Amino acid sequence: MSQSKKKEHIFGIYQRLFSLYGPQGWWPLIKHDGENPTKKGSIRGYHPGNYDLPENENQIFEIILGAILTQNTAWTSAEQAILNLDALNAIDPQKILSMDEVILKKSIRCAGFLNQKASYIKEISKFFLSLEGDIPNRKEILQVKGVGNETADSILLYAYKQPEFVVDAYTKRIFHYLGLIESNAKYGDVKELFESNLPFDISIFQEYHALIVEHAKRHYQKKPYGVNDNLKSIILK
């Protein structure tokens, strides 16, 4: 496939997904009044069409916490953990670091892997404070315990509005089905596929990732993946 054709397909899939589901309003913030009626379960804090968020340090830190807490679990579970921390007035790195370990673990138990995530949250809190308001680069954030590629890119894209495309299991599942990547494609290669074939636009990066998740939850939860998925017609034109 030529580079121009690949670019056409990658952006065409985005346009098709956007026409199906509309703006997704990621990353959700628990104290924001927006919602997204396409979501199942939690609808708290989504802000479709508003790309100005986060607007302050507290919201940035909340997104960072969410990116850690949602690892290997559903967003609804991560959201409940954030709500538990908020009830303790602990959406704050200093308060996380001074919090009793038992109380912290009890607060985030609903998100699973409580021992690991309690440790990760402490480490990311230290890192956040060390930045003193600066924007981290990808290399720096990947050095924080508990932060891998997907979490790093989620933090950079949604918390700091940096042009880093987020690749998750759904992305690999869909685009392997569409024949655009190999089943064993490396994270960096998939990331490069999107970043080199999309307009340099933070809102598109945010929406594309969120739209992939929405679509995958509807069509790619069970095998055979994509059996009723009409996205495939886009790349067969």
Side-chain angles (χ1 to χ4, degrees), residues 60-73:
I60 290 172
F61 186 65
E62 181 185 326
I63 292 172
I64 291 171
L65 282 181
I68 297 290
L69 288 166
T70 199
Q71 292 175 357
N72 301 305
T73 195

Side-chain angles (χ1 to χ4, degrees), residues 17-29 32-51 53 75-76 79 158 206-215 217-218:
L17 289 171
F18 195 86
S19 71
L20 285 171
Y21 306 121
Q24 297 296 290
W26 278 37
W27 192 280
L29 290 158
H32 188 267
D33 293 332
E35 62 180 47
N36 188 331
T38 71
K39 298 295 181 188
K40 296 179 180 179
S42 171
I43 59 172
R44 182 192 299 267
Y46 293 93
H47 41 94
N50 181 355
Y51 304 105
L53 298 173
W75 172 250
T76 47
E79 182 195 57
Y158 292 108
Q206 291 182 347
E207 291 291 0
Y208 208 156
H209 169 238
L211 287 163
I212 285 170
V213 173
E214 183 66 25
H215 187 70
K217 286 181 177 179
R218 296 175 184 234

Side-chain angles (χ1 to χ4, degrees), residues 58-110:
N58 288 339
Q59 290 179 338
I60 290 172
F61 186 65
E62 181 185 326
I63 292 172
I64 291 171
L65 282 181
I68 297 290
L69 288 166
T70 199
Q71 292 175 357
N72 301 305
T73 195
W75 172 250
T76 47
S77 299
E79 182 195 57
Q80 185 57 58
I82 294 172
L83 289 169
N84 293 343
L85 291 170
D86 184 56
L88 298 172
N89 197 29
I91 308 296
D92 177 286
Q94 293 279 18
K95 291 179 179 178
I96 291 287
L97 291 172
S98 62
M99 184 181 292
D100 179 83
E101 191 84 7
V102 174
I103 294 174
L104 175 59
K105 290 180 180 180
K106 182 178 179 180
S107 299
I108 67 171
R109 178 181 295 275
C110 54

Side-chain angles (χ1 to χ4, degrees), residues 7 60 101 154 171 205:
K7 186 181 292 286
I60 290 172
E101 191 84 7
S154 295
T171 310
F205 279 27

